[in-house]
Amino acid sequence: MTTENNHTYDVIVIGAGPVGENVADRTTAAGLRTVIVESELAGGECSYWACEPSKALLRPALFRADAAHIPGLDPSVKGPLDVDAVLAHRDRMSAHWKDDGQADWIKSAGIDLLRGHGRLAGEREVTVETPDGAIVRLRARHAVAVCTGSGAALPPLPGIEELRPWTSREATSARQVPQRLVIVGAGVVGVEMATAWQALGSSVTLLAREDGLLPRMEPFAGELVTERLREAGADVRFGVSVTDAKRADGAGEVRVWLSDGSELTADEILFATGRAPRSQDIGLDSVGLAPGDWLTVDDTLTVTAVPGEWLYAVGDVNRRALFTHQGKYQARVAGAVIAARARGERLDTGRWAPHSSTADLEAVPGVVFTDPTVASVGLTVRDAERIGRAVEVVDYEIGHLAGAVQYRPDYRGRARILVDRDRQVVVGATFVGPGVEELLYSATVAITGEVPVERLWHAVPAFPTISEVWLRLLETRRDS
């Protein structure tokens, strides 16, 4: 028998991942009584099946790749990784898939946590089906924020359910190393998991429909990652797709047929073929939206197709920038918007203003933790061409730096910045090479701060560091 309860809050947040937690934290700090509804683990995809476990798998592989090229260390680190130790570290970083710590933080922040499946039920209304079968009806005085994120999108391959493929969740939480692993997809998940599982002992075959890896980034990024994956033993193939795949006896090896007529046999197959919004069963039809759609928002993160300025979509579900850190940025903006509207204040929605998620359009930073690492923010050359932005392209080989050689004597890497010809500010940056993730924040500050290129001459990098690449880029631009 079900029971019903009714509660009223200022703000209702559907989804207790990092994005939902940050929305709730900001609205609670503003004095608005807030509840988070969560059907799985508080902490969300990033904590248990994405950012944390994937980087825990990758860090030993990348550290060994660096150490194997350092004089004095190289002979001692060329053996296989301790798989049990790596997986145990992954488990610790994923909190052993228990959310006690996250739940405790939510409580300590003064936020209510309601476990169950939340669905919109009309304007400012949410119903929650709890694990014990009760129905809780919630009403929001001010706002409902949908922060349900995204999930793996599988291709329309006949019989894919019987195939039991890996998605990003299985790839980051697997309990043992498959002897042979086929990965379908040339994006971030595909190349990171190829790097991790190859290092852990899998024989990896990476299949890309495109003619290169990381197709949304500068071409040289994918080229350098491809080179290193092949050196490590991975079989990287371009211009191919899966036409059919079957698992023997429902539990045995996987046979894969490709568009070029070839066949593969593997123990597991990972489809890293994109993301889909988790919006299929959250009651979108009750407010005139189509279930399963991405939710379109304006720069205040307000859903544009729903009148009344009460419904917000924050994080992956709005498709603006599918990164945890960018979703948390959106959450900070959305929280400020909700609080301002609740107080009856006028919003400041200008470019780079407190109530505008401008960075989603101009400065989205991202890191691909491969060997070599790829870090980028802002525009690529193709982006600039697509939007008609006139830019100067400045390249530099990072391996020429003394700091890079100190980091790794055989350092291979490349840096590129794009300078807006009219405004004379940096609008894009890409760095490829070991350790370049720590260059990314300086590039992000240069872009968001719209620092004039001439002013960057006064930002002096320490010697010998990889950050000296900024000076070399400026010199290359001057000399050209």
Side-chain angles (χ1 to χ4, degrees):
M1 185 176 80
T2 62
T3 58
E4 293 194 7
N5 297 289
N6 298 276
H7 302 277
T8 299
Y9 286 87
D10 293 314
V11 180
I12 302 168
V13 178
I14 305 177
V19 175
E21 288 178 336
N22 273 267
V23 172
D25 184 43
R26 291 305 169 109
T27 56
T28 300
L32 300 176
R33 187 166 177 247
T34 302
V35 62
I36 299 182
V37 180
E38 177 54 58
S39 61
E40 292 190 289
L41 297 176
E45 197 81 7
C46 179
S47 298
Y48 309 105
W49 300 287
C51 318
E52 294 286 10
S54 68
K55 286 11 172 220
L57 291 173
L58 285 159
R59 179 57 182 153
L62 300 184
F63 185 85
R64 183 180 67 172
D66 288 339
H69 295 83
I70 299 297
L73 284 176
D74 48 318
S76 59
V77 296
K78 290 189 175 178
L81 293 173
D82 183 335
V83 172
D84 291 340
V86 173
L87 295 184
H89 173 59
R90 184 272 316 271
D91 293 351
R92 286 192 297 273
M93 293 305 296
S94 303
H96 298 277
W97 292 274
K98 297 179 181 179
D99 67 357
D100 302 35
Q102 296 280 349
D104 288 345
W105 176 86
I106 290 171
K107 181 179 179 180
S108 72
I111 305 162
D112 287 352
L113 173 62
L114 178 57
R115 296 189 183 272
H117 190 102
R119 297 178 180 88
L120 293 164
E123 183 174 343
R124 294 183 174 86
E125 302 279 351
V126 174
T127 61
V128 182
E129 183 180 351
T130 67
D132 61 3
I135 300 297
V136 180
R137 300 189 183 279
L138 304 176
R139 176 164 180 78
R141 297 185 184 92
H142 299 293
V144 176
V146 175
C147 306
T148 50
S150 65
L154 292 173
L157 196 67
I160 198 166
E161 295 81 9
E162 291 75 24
L163 183 61
R164 293 186 295 104
W166 278 9
T167 67
S168 54
R169 283 197 171 194
E170 289 77 19
T172 55
S173 61
R175 309 308 307 174
Q176 58 185 359
V177 179
Q179 183 177 346
R180 300 159 299 177
L181 174 63
V182 171
I183 300 176
V184 184
V188 175
V189 172
V191 297
E192 286 194 343
M193 291 299 94
T195 300
W197 289 107
Q198 179 75 34
L200 287 167
S202 282
S203 176
V204 171
T205 301
L206 179 58
L207 307 175
R209 287 189 306 175
E210 300 84 355
D211 58 3
L213 300 183
L214 302 172
R216 295 185 180 181
M217 297 184 169
E218 298 287 11
F220 64 81
E223 291 165 5
L224 286 166
V225 172
T226 300
E227 179 182 306
R228 187 66 191 98
L229 278 172
R230 285 175 169 163
E231 287 177 359
D235 179 3
V236 183
R237 306 187 190 184
F238 299 121
V240 293
S241 58
V242 175
T243 58
D244 197 7
K246 296 187 185 302
R247 188 179 288 275
D249 303 322
E253 65 183 18
V254 178
R255 290 188 66 191
V256 184
W257 290 266
L258 304 180
S259 57
D260 62 3
S262 62
E263 296 182 18
L264 295 170
T265 303
D267 299 287
E268 299 292 349
I269 183 169
L270 162 62
F271 284 101
T273 48
R275 307 290 291 178
R278 287 204 177 106
S279 63
Q280 185 64 43
D281 187 22
I282 59 170
L284 292 185
D285 52 334
S286 72
V287 293
L289 301 176
D293 277 1
W294 300 98
L295 299 182
T296 301
V297 298
D298 60 21
D299 288 349
T300 68
L301 290 313
T302 307
V303 177
T304 55
V306 176
E309 297 180 334
W310 62 272
L311 184 61
Y312 299 79
V314 193
D316 279 15
V317 75
N318 65 35
R319 208 182 192 179
R320 287 169 70 99
L322 276 66
F323 291 100
T324 296
H325 49 268
Q326 205 68 21
K328 291 164 72 173
Y329 161 75
Q330 291 179 11
R332 296 190 289 272
V333 173
V337 170
I338 292 168
R341 283 178 171 159
R343 292 190 291 259
E345 298 172 357
R346 184 176 179 177
L347 298 185
D348 182 357
T349 58
R351 193 163 170 268
W352 304 116
H355 304 129
S356 178
S357 54
T358 310
D360 291 345
L361 306 175
E362 307 226 13
V364 177
V367 178
V368 188
F369 289 88
T370 46
D371 176 24
T373 301
V374 181
S376 66
V377 61
L379 300 179
T380 64
V381 171
R382 280 177 295 203
D383 293 334
E385 291 173 346
R386 176 175 49 83
I387 65 176
R389 183 81 61 89
V391 295
E392 300 173 52
V393 181
V394 187
D395 290 338
Y396 189 79
E397 297 298 321
I398 302 178
H400 294 165
L401 297 169
V405 177
Q406 291 281 8
Y407 190 99
R408 185 163 156 172
D410 67 338
Y411 196 106
R412 285 177 288 177
R414 188 172 175 185
R416 169 173 290 177
I417 59 171
L418 307 185
V419 178
D420 187 299
R421 290 187 181 276
D422 296 325
R423 295 189 295 134
Q424 292 295 294
V425 295
V426 177
V427 293
T430 299
F431 307 100
V432 183
V436 296
E437 62 270 26
E438 301 304 338
L439 294 174
L440 192 56
Y441 188 68
S442 58
T444 304
V445 170
I447 293 172
T448 59
E450 299 179 329
V451 181
V453 176
E454 290 303 314
R455 178 64 61 84
L456 290 176
W457 283 99
H458 298 281
V460 181
F463 178 88
T465 64
I466 298 175
S467 65
E468 212 179 5
V469 71
W470 279 104
L471 177 57
R472 300 292 172 249
L473 286 163
L474 294 176
E475 291 172 342
T476 301
R477 178 174 178 267
R478 176 200 63 194
D479 296 343
S480 66

mmCIF file with all atom_site columns, all heavy atoms in Angstrom, residues 273-290:
data_model
loop_
_atom_site.group_PDB
_atom_site.id
_atom_site.type_symbol
_atom_site.label_atom_id
_atom_site.label_alt_id
_atom_site.label_comp_id
_atom_site.label_asym_id
_atom_site.label_entity_id
_atom_site.label_seq_id
_atom_site.pdbx_PDB_ins_code
_atom_site.Cartn_x
_atom_site.Cartn_y
_atom_site.Cartn_z
_atom_site.occupancy
_atom_site.B_iso_or_equiv
_atom_site.pdbx_formal_charge
_atom_site.auth_seq_id
_atom_site.auth_comp_id
_atom_site.auth_asym_id
_atom_site.auth_atom_id
_atom_site.pdbx_PDB_model_num
ATOM 1   N N   . THR A 1 273 ? 30.147 5.986  -27.605 1.00 0.00 ? 273 THR A N   1
ATOM 2   C CA  . THR A 1 273 ? 29.587 6.608  -28.805 1.00 0.00 ? 273 THR A CA  1
ATOM 3   C C   . THR A 1 273 ? 28.676 7.793  -28.501 1.00 0.00 ? 273 THR A C   1
ATOM 4   O O   . THR A 1 273 ? 27.744 8.073  -29.257 1.00 0.00 ? 273 THR A O   1
ATOM 5   C CB  . THR A 1 273 ? 28.822 5.551  -29.625 1.00 0.00 ? 273 THR A CB  1
ATOM 6   O OG1 . THR A 1 273 ? 27.942 4.811  -28.753 1.00 0.00 ? 273 THR A OG1 1
ATOM 7   C CG2 . THR A 1 273 ? 29.774 4.578  -30.289 1.00 0.00 ? 273 THR A CG2 1
ATOM 8   N N   . GLY A 1 274 ? 28.963 8.486  -27.415 1.00 0.00 ? 274 GLY A N   1
ATOM 9   C CA  . GLY A 1 274 ? 28.211 9.707  -27.137 1.00 0.00 ? 274 GLY A CA  1
ATOM 10  C C   . GLY A 1 274 ? 27.347 9.597  -25.899 1.00 0.00 ? 274 GLY A C   1
ATOM 11  O O   . GLY A 1 274 ? 27.316 8.571  -25.207 1.00 0.00 ? 274 GLY A O   1
ATOM 12  N N   . ARG A 1 275 ? 26.631 10.679 -25.624 1.00 0.00 ? 275 ARG A N   1
ATOM 13  C CA  . ARG A 1 275 ? 25.797 10.786 -24.429 1.00 0.00 ? 275 ARG A CA  1
ATOM 14  C C   . ARG A 1 275 ? 24.366 11.156 -24.814 1.00 0.00 ? 275 ARG A C   1
ATOM 15  O O   . ARG A 1 275 ? 24.121 11.762 -25.862 1.00 0.00 ? 275 ARG A O   1
ATOM 16  C CB  . ARG A 1 275 ? 26.347 11.857 -23.477 1.00 0.00 ? 275 ARG A CB  1
ATOM 17  C CG  . ARG A 1 275 ? 27.799 11.715 -23.111 1.00 0.00 ? 275 ARG A CG  1
ATOM 18  C CD  . ARG A 1 275 ? 28.052 10.537 -22.208 1.00 0.00 ? 275 ARG A CD  1
ATOM 19  N NE  . ARG A 1 275 ? 27.497 10.711 -20.866 1.00 0.00 ? 275 ARG A NE  1
ATOM 20  C CZ  . ARG A 1 275 ? 27.581 9.771  -19.920 1.00 0.00 ? 275 ARG A CZ  1
ATOM 21  N NH1 . ARG A 1 275 ? 28.167 8.606  -20.181 1.00 0.00 ? 275 ARG A NH1 1
ATOM 22  N NH2 . ARG A 1 275 ? 27.070 9.975  -18.726 1.00 0.00 ? 275 ARG A NH2 1
ATOM 23  N N   . ALA A 1 276 ? 23.429 10.766 -23.959 1.00 0.00 ? 276 ALA A N   1
ATOM 24  C CA  . ALA A 1 276 ? 22.021 11.111 -24.135 1.00 0.00 ? 276 ALA A CA  1
ATOM 25  C C   . ALA A 1 276 ? 21.499 11.683 -22.824 1.00 0.00 ? 276 ALA A C   1
ATOM 26  O O   . ALA A 1 276 ? 21.962 11.296 -21.740 1.00 0.00 ? 276 ALA A O   1
ATOM 27  C CB  . ALA A 1 276 ? 21.214 9.875  -24.534 1.00 0.00 ? 276 ALA A CB  1
ATOM 28  N N   . PRO A 1 277 ? 20.530 12.613 -22.889 1.00 0.00 ? 277 PRO A N   1
ATOM 29  C CA  . PRO A 1 277 ? 20.038 13.220 -21.653 1.00 0.00 ? 277 PRO A CA  1
ATOM 30  C C   . PRO A 1 277 ? 19.238 12.233 -20.814 1.00 0.00 ? 277 PRO A C   1
ATOM 31  O O   . PRO A 1 277 ? 18.481 11.420 -21.348 1.00 0.00 ? 277 PRO A O   1
ATOM 32  C CB  . PRO A 1 277 ? 19.141 14.356 -22.156 1.00 0.00 ? 277 PRO A CB  1
ATOM 33  C CG  . PRO A 1 277 ? 18.666 13.873 -23.500 1.00 0.00 ? 277 PRO A CG  1
ATOM 34  C CD  . PRO A 1 277 ? 19.826 13.113 -24.079 1.00 0.00 ? 277 PRO A CD  1
ATOM 35  N N   . ARG A 1 278 ? 19.398 12.307 -19.513 1.00 0.00 ? 278 ARG A N   1
ATOM 36  C CA  . ARG A 1 278 ? 18.554 11.513 -18.621 1.00 0.00 ? 278 ARG A CA  1
ATOM 37  C C   . ARG A 1 278 ? 17.264 12.293 -18.353 1.00 0.00 ? 278 ARG A C   1
ATOM 38  O O   . ARG A 1 278 ? 17.092 12.915 -17.308 1.00 0.00 ? 278 ARG A O   1
ATOM 39  C CB  . ARG A 1 278 ? 19.300 11.231 -17.314 1.00 0.00 ? 278 ARG A CB  1
ATOM 40  C CG  . ARG A 1 278 ? 20.413 10.212 -17.447 1.00 0.00 ? 278 ARG A CG  1
ATOM 41  C CD  . ARG A 1 278 ? 20.704 9.548  -16.113 1.00 0.00 ? 278 ARG A CD  1
ATOM 42  N NE  . ARG A 1 278 ? 21.731 8.524  -16.253 1.00 0.00 ? 278 ARG A NE  1
ATOM 43  C CZ  . ARG A 1 278 ? 22.983 8.645  -15.839 1.00 0.00 ? 278 ARG A CZ  1
ATOM 44  N NH1 . ARG A 1 278 ? 23.368 9.771  -15.276 1.00 0.00 ? 278 ARG A NH1 1
ATOM 45  N NH2 . ARG A 1 278 ? 23.842 7.666  -16.000 1.00 0.00 ? 278 ARG A NH2 1
ATOM 46  N N   . SER A 1 279 ? 16.405 12.267 -19.340 1.00 0.00 ? 279 SER A N   1
ATOM 47  C CA  . SER A 1 279 ? 15.157 13.043 -19.235 1.00 0.00 ? 279 SER A CA  1
ATOM 48  C C   . SER A 1 279 ? 13.951 12.250 -19.722 1.00 0.00 ? 279 SER A C   1
ATOM 49  O O   . SER A 1 279 ? 12.886 12.812 -19.935 1.00 0.00 ? 279 SER A O   1
ATOM 50  C CB  . SER A 1 279 ? 15.281 14.335 -20.069 1.00 0.00 ? 279 SER A CB  1
ATOM 51  O OG  . SER A 1 279 ? 15.456 14.036 -21.446 1.00 0.00 ? 279 SER A OG  1
ATOM 52  N N   . GLN A 1 280 ? 14.123 10.935 -19.893 1.00 0.00 ? 280 GLN A N   1
ATOM 53  C CA  . GLN A 1 280 ? 13.061 10.118 -20.457 1.00 0.00 ? 280 GLN A CA  1
ATOM 54  C C   . GLN A 1 280 ? 11.884 9.957  -19.501 1.00 0.00 ? 280 GLN A C   1
ATOM 55  O O   . GLN A 1 280 ? 10.729 9.964  -19.911 1.00 0.00 ? 280 GLN A O   1
ATOM 56  C CB  . GLN A 1 280 ? 13.612 8.736  -20.836 1.00 0.00 ? 280 GLN A CB  1
ATOM 57  C CG  . GLN A 1 280 ? 12.618 7.836  -21.549 1.00 0.00 ? 280 GLN A CG  1
ATOM 58  C CD  . GLN A 1 280 ? 12.184 8.389  -22.894 1.00 0.00 ? 280 GLN A CD  1
ATOM 59  O OE1 . GLN A 1 280 ? 13.005 8.884  -23.654 1.00 0.00 ? 280 GLN A OE1 1
ATOM 60  N NE2 . GLN A 1 280 ? 10.890 8.343  -23.176 1.00 0.00 ? 280 GLN A NE2 1
ATOM 61  N N   . ASP A 1 281 ? 12.165 9.824  -18.220 1.00 0.00 ? 281 ASP A N   1
ATOM 62  C CA  . ASP A 1 281 ? 11.105 9.504  -17.249 1.00 0.00 ? 281 ASP A CA  1
ATOM 63  C C   . ASP A 1 281 ? 11.139 10.464 -16.073 1.00 0.00 ? 281 ASP A C   1
ATOM 64  O O   . ASP A 1 281 ? 11.213 10.066 -14.914 1.00 0.00 ? 281 ASP A O   1
ATOM 65  C CB  . ASP A 1 281 ? 11.279 8.053  -16.771 1.00 0.00 ? 281 ASP A CB  1
ATOM 66  C CG  . ASP A 1 281 ? 10.128 7.586  -15.894 1.00 0.00 ? 281 ASP A CG  1
ATOM 67  O OD1 . ASP A 1 281 ? 9.039  8.183  -15.977 1.00 0.00 ? 281 ASP A OD1 1
ATOM 68  O OD2 . ASP A 1 281 ? 10.329 6.634  -15.107 1.00 0.00 ? 281 ASP A OD2 1
ATOM 69  N N   . ILE A 1 282 ? 11.109 11.763 -16.395 1.00 0.00 ? 282 ILE A N   1
ATOM 70  C CA  . ILE A 1 282 ? 11.118 12.765 -15.322 1.00 0.00 ? 282 ILE A CA  1
ATOM 71  C C   . ILE A 1 282 ? 9.923  13.717 -15.452 1.00 0.00 ? 282 ILE A C   1
ATOM 72  O O   . ILE A 1 282 ? 9.945  14.822 -14.931 1.00 0.00 ? 282 ILE A O   1
ATOM 73  C CB  . ILE A 1 282 ? 12.433 13.567 -15.295 1.00 0.00 ? 282 ILE A CB  1
ATOM 74  C CG1 . ILE A 1 282 ? 12.680 14.292 -16.625 1.00 0.00 ? 282 ILE A CG1 1
ATOM 75  C CG2 . ILE A 1 282 ? 13.603 12.669 -14.935 1.00 0.00 ? 282 ILE A CG2 1
ATOM 76  C CD1 . ILE A 1 282 ? 13.832 15.284 -16.554 1.00 0.00 ? 282 ILE A CD1 1
ATOM 77  N N   . GLY A 1 283 ? 8.883  13.286 -16.157 1.00 0.00 ? 283 GLY A N   1
ATOM 78  C CA  . GLY A 1 283 ? 7.643  14.054 -16.201 1.00 0.00 ? 283 GLY A CA  1
ATOM 79  C C   . GLY A 1 283 ? 7.663  15.274 -17.099 1.00 0.00 ? 283 GLY A C   1
ATOM 80  O O   . GLY A 1 283 ? 6.875  16.203 -16.893 1.00 0.00 ? 283 GLY A O   1
ATOM 81  N N   . LEU A 1 284 ? 8.521  15.301 -18.102 1.00 0.00 ? 284 LEU A N   1
ATOM 82  C CA  . LEU A 1 284 ? 8.588  16.485 -18.968 1.00 0.00 ? 284 LEU A CA  1
ATOM 83  C C   . LEU A 1 284 ? 7.271  16.767 -19.664 1.00 0.00 ? 284 LEU A C   1
ATOM 84  O O   . LEU A 1 284 ? 6.919  17.935 -19.919 1.00 0.00 ? 284 LEU A O   1
ATOM 85  C CB  . LEU A 1 284 ? 9.697  16.317 -20.014 1.00 0.00 ? 284 LEU A CB  1
ATOM 86  C CG  . LEU A 1 284 ? 11.142 16.319 -19.513 1.00 0.00 ? 284 LEU A CG  1
ATOM 87  C CD1 . LEU A 1 284 ? 12.104 16.262 -20.691 1.00 0.00 ? 284 LEU A CD1 1
ATOM 88  C CD2 . LEU A 1 284 ? 11.429 17.556 -18.661 1.00 0.00 ? 284 LEU A CD2 1
ATOM 89  N N   . ASP A 1 285 ? 6.521  15.708 -19.985 1.00 0.00 ? 285 ASP A N   1
ATOM 90  C CA  . ASP A 1 285 ? 5.248  15.911 -20.681 1.00 0.00 ? 285 ASP A CA  1
ATOM 91  C C   . ASP A 1 285 ? 4.255  16.709 -19.841 1.00 0.00 ? 285 ASP A C   1
ATOM 92  O O   . ASP A 1 285 ? 3.348  17.351 -20.377 1.00 0.00 ? 285 ASP A O   1
ATOM 93  C CB  . ASP A 1 285 ? 4.643  14.570 -21.098 1.00 0.00 ? 285 ASP A CB  1
ATOM 94  C CG  . ASP A 1 285 ? 4.547  13.578 -19.953 1.00 0.00 ? 285 ASP A CG  1
ATOM 95  O OD1 . ASP A 1 285 ? 5.338  13.676 -18.989 1.00 0.00 ? 285 ASP A OD1 1
ATOM 96  O OD2 . ASP A 1 285 ? 3.679  12.686 -20.016 1.00 0.00 ? 285 ASP A OD2 1
ATOM 97  N N   . SER A 1 286 ? 4.424  16.706 -18.517 1.00 0.00 ? 286 SER A N   1
ATOM 98  C CA  . SER A 1 286 ? 3.495  17.447 -17.650 1.00 0.00 ? 286 SER A CA  1
ATOM 99  C C   . SER A 1 286 ? 3.662  18.956 -17.774 1.00 0.00 ? 286 SER A C   1
ATOM 100 O O   . SER A 1 286 ? 2.799  19.715 -17.335 1.00 0.00 ? 286 SER A O   1
ATOM 101 C CB  . SER A 1 286 ? 3.693  17.034 -16.183 1.00 0.00 ? 286 SER A CB  1
ATOM 102 O OG  . SER A 1 286 ? 4.902  17.548 -15.655 1.00 0.00 ? 286 SER A OG  1
ATOM 103 N N   . VAL A 1 287 ? 4.782  19.394 -18.380 1.00 0.00 ? 287 VAL A N   1
ATOM 104 C CA  . VAL A 1 287 ? 5.003  20.834 -18.581 1.00 0.00 ? 287 VAL A CA  1
ATOM 105 C C   . VAL A 1 287 ? 5.167  21.160 -20.063 1.00 0.00 ? 287 VAL A C   1
ATOM 106 O O   . VAL A 1 287 ? 5.733  22.187 -20.431 1.00 0.00 ? 287 VAL A O   1
ATOM 107 C CB  . VAL A 1 287 ? 6.218  21.332 -17.770 1.00 0.00 ? 287 VAL A CB  1
ATOM 108 C CG1 . VAL A 1 287 ? 5.942  21.249 -16.275 1.00 0.00 ? 287 VAL A CG1 1
ATOM 109 C CG2 . VAL A 1 287 ? 7.488  20.556 -18.129 1.00 0.00 ? 287 VAL A CG2 1
ATOM 110 N N   . GLY A 1 288 ? 4.673  20.256 -20.911 1.00 0.00 ? 288 GLY A N   1
ATOM 111 C CA  . GLY A 1 288 ? 4.654  20.534 -22.339 1.00 0.00 ? 288 GLY A CA  1
ATOM 112 C C   . GLY A 1 288 ? 5.935  20.234 -23.082 1.00 0.00 ? 288 GLY A C   1
ATOM 113 O O   . GLY A 1 288 ? 6.109  20.675 -24.223 1.00 0.00 ? 288 GLY A O   1
ATOM 114 N N   . LEU A 1 289 ? 6.850  19.466 -22.479 1.00 0.00 ? 289 LEU A N   1
ATOM 115 C CA  . LEU A 1 289 ? 8.109  19.112 -23.130 1.00 0.00 ? 289 LEU A CA  1
ATOM 116 C C   . LEU A 1 289 ? 8.118  17.639 -23.505 1.00 0.00 ? 289 LEU A C   1
ATOM 117 O O   . LEU A 1 289 ? 7.359  16.838 -22.947 1.00 0.00 ? 289 LEU A O   1
ATOM 118 C CB  . LEU A 1 289 ? 9.291  19.430 -22.203 1.00 0.00 ? 289 LEU A CB  1
ATOM 119 C CG  . LEU A 1 289 ? 9.420  20.884 -21.758 1.00 0.00 ? 289 LEU A CG  1
ATOM 120 C CD1 . LEU A 1 289 ? 10.575 21.027 -20.766 1.00 0.00 ? 289 LEU A CD1 1
ATOM 121 C CD2 . LEU A 1 289 ? 9.625  21.810 -22.943 1.00 0.00 ? 289 LEU A CD2 1
ATOM 122 N N   . ALA A 1 290 ? 8.985  17.268 -24.432 1.00 0.00 ? 290 ALA A N   1
ATOM 123 C CA  . ALA A 1 290 ? 9.046  15.892 -24.914 1.00 0.00 ? 290 ALA A CA  1
ATOM 124 C C   . ALA A 1 290 ? 9.992  15.066 -24.063 1.00 0.00 ? 290 ALA A C   1
ATOM 125 O O   . ALA A 1 290 ? 11.170 15.419 -23.918 1.00 0.00 ? 290 ALA A O   1
ATOM 126 C CB  . ALA A 1 290 ? 9.494  15.870 -26.371 1.00 0.00 ? 290 ALA A CB  1
#
